[in-house]
Amino acid sequence: APVTNPAPVTNPAPVTNPVAIANAAPVANTAGPATPVAAALSQHEARASIERRASVAAAPLSAEDRFRAALARYNAGFPLDAIAMLRAALEQQATHQGARKALVAILIERGERAAALSTLDEALRANPKQHELALLSSRLSLASGRSDDAIHTLSAASGADAPAELSATLAALLGKARRDGDAITHWLAAIRRSPQRAPWWLGLAVSLEADGRQGEALAAYDRALSFGTLNADTADFARARVTALR
């Protein structure tokens, strides 16, 4: 039979599949036996590569690393793992605000309010002037019916640099506790920082009236009404007090 020309040989496409590479037959050594120096260099490079990988693997995680890993774990649907990782981050760096707030949020979501409150109080014992954490702690205390604890926490956090929200929250609690003289101080602090809040002027008016300062109370009621933002029932109450005090 006549001999036909074989099909032209083309270069095979490079194999990029890792499984194919792993399963491929070993390539025969066509370069001849390695010299002792080449073998020693090859072994040295292999050891150095292993040591570099081990060094990277052994590098300690920072609190920030643990925090970010915990968030990823939580988002993947593993809240218990996230809680453990966030606690580890706080053991490493107790001042990591992100880790503490995330841990508190997850604990509240799971209904573990006592654990959340303990997590907040741990930080506040070290530094009671952490305003955001103090507000969170006070809200949890109030939800548990512990208004005295909320007042204590907010009082410790108050001061010249306290945010208006903290001062107003403390003022409202003091007013409910019939500590109107103290409440007035904190209402005024809140209003100095945010003077356009009608409910705060109303709270001030109520405490002033309870403290026997009718003239100042009347002015505060008028100011609260002047914004036109009180709801109907509250506005009716304020107008009734204005009529009674005039």
Side-chain angles (χ1 to χ4, degrees), residues 154 163-173 186-187 189-191 197 200:
L154 294 176
E165 192 70 34
L166 187 149
S167 297
T169 303
L170 176 56
L173 292 174
H186 292 287
W187 280 127
I191 288 169
R197 302 286 289 271
W200 295 0

Side-chain angles (χ1 to χ4, degrees), residues 87 103-121 136-146:
R87 282 178 170 152
L103 176 56
V104 168
I106 295 172
L107 290 171
I108 291 173
E109 182 182 69
R110 292 177 56 80
E112 300 180 39
R113 291 181 176 272
L117 187 58
S118 176
T119 300
L120 290 168
D121 288 347
L136 280 171
S137 176
S138 70
R139 288 166 186 156
L140 285 174
S141 293
L142 288 172
S144 302
R146 296 157 57 184

Side-chain angles (χ1 to χ4, degrees), residues 12 26 30 39 42 49 54 57 64 75 83 113-114 120 130-131 163 188 203 215 234:
T30 59
S42 178
S49 176
E64 179 69 14
N75 289 331
I83 287 171
R113 291 181 176 272
L120 290 168
Q130 299 180 78
H131 300 133
L188 290 172
T234 306

Side-chain angles (χ1 to χ4, degrees), residues 124-186:
L124 291 169
R125 282 193 295 272
N127 177 12
K129 299 292 186 182
Q130 299 180 78
H131 300 133
E132 187 175 358
L133 299 187
L135 277 167
L136 280 171
S137 176
S138 70
R139 288 166 186 156
L140 285 174
S141 293
L142 288 172
S144 302
R146 296 157 57 184
S147 58
D148 287 345
D149 288 350
I151 289 173
H152 174 78
T153 297
L154 294 176
S155 295
S158 66
D161 61 340
E165 192 70 34
L166 187 149
S167 297
T169 303
L170 176 56
L173 292 174
L174 290 167
K176 288 180 180 178
R178 299 293 186 266
R179 293 170 56 181
D180 291 292
D182 293 332
I184 290 167
T185 297
H186 292 287

